[in-house]
């Protein structure tokens, strides 16, 4: 949410929330078996996808939107999480 501010903090908050709810985030190159490491976790996920939609949430500046998404991806990568982005053309370029 661009209007919610700080993309790195939003990504940190999301990853912390998942971790606190028994969701293991696999690091790049890690296997499910090594991620679980003998623990009984609720879920193991290998990638966080950013779903880009709802133009009401975005700046009218394409560069601001790019910078915001890059900030989220950079923070996820810094924490070792594989990141993906998906959208439809009507949401990406309304």
């Amino acid at each position: 949410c661009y209007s919610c501010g700080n993309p790195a903090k939003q990504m940190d908050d999301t990853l912390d929330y998942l971790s606190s709810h028994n969701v293991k985030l696999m690091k790049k190159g890690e296997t499910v078996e090594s991620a679980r490491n003998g623990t009984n976790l609720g879920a193991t996920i290998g990638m966080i996808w950013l779903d880009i939609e709802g133009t009401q949430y975005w700046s009218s500046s394409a560069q601001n939107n790019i910078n915001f998404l890059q900030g989220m991806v950079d923070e996820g990568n810094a924490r070792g999480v594989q990141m993906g982005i998906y959208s439809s053309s009507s949401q990406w370029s309304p």
Side-chain angles (χ1 to χ4, degrees):
C1 170
Y2 174 82
S3 62
C4 300
N6 193 331
K9 178 157 180 13
Q10 287 185 57
M11 181 54 62
D12 278 338
D13 289 348
T14 299
L15 298 175
D16 291 345
Y17 175 86
L18 291 170
S19 179
S20 73
H21 285 82
N22 212 20
V23 175
K24 169 65 177 170
L25 298 167
M26 291 173 33
K27 303 297 184 194
K28 291 179 183 176
E30 193 173 31
T31 65
V32 172
E33 293 78 19
S34 66
R36 287 183 172 264
N37 196 20
T39 61
N40 186 19
L41 296 171
T44 302
I45 58 175
M47 185 172 235
I48 297 286
W49 287 93
L50 301 177
D51 178 12
I52 310 307
E53 57 183 63
T55 56
Q56 70 272 24
Y57 302 115
W58 298 99
S59 168
S60 59
S61 163
Q63 190 59 54
N64 286 348
N65 295 333
I66 291 167
N67 293 343
F68 179 83
L69 290 171
Q70 189 65 59
M72 292 190 87
V73 169
D74 289 348
E75 186 61 24
N77 286 334
R79 292 197 43 185
V81 177
Q82 294 185 82
M83 302 293 297
I85 297 175
Y86 70 94
S87 185
S88 65
S89 60
S90 65
Q91 296 295 330
W92 190 254
S93 302

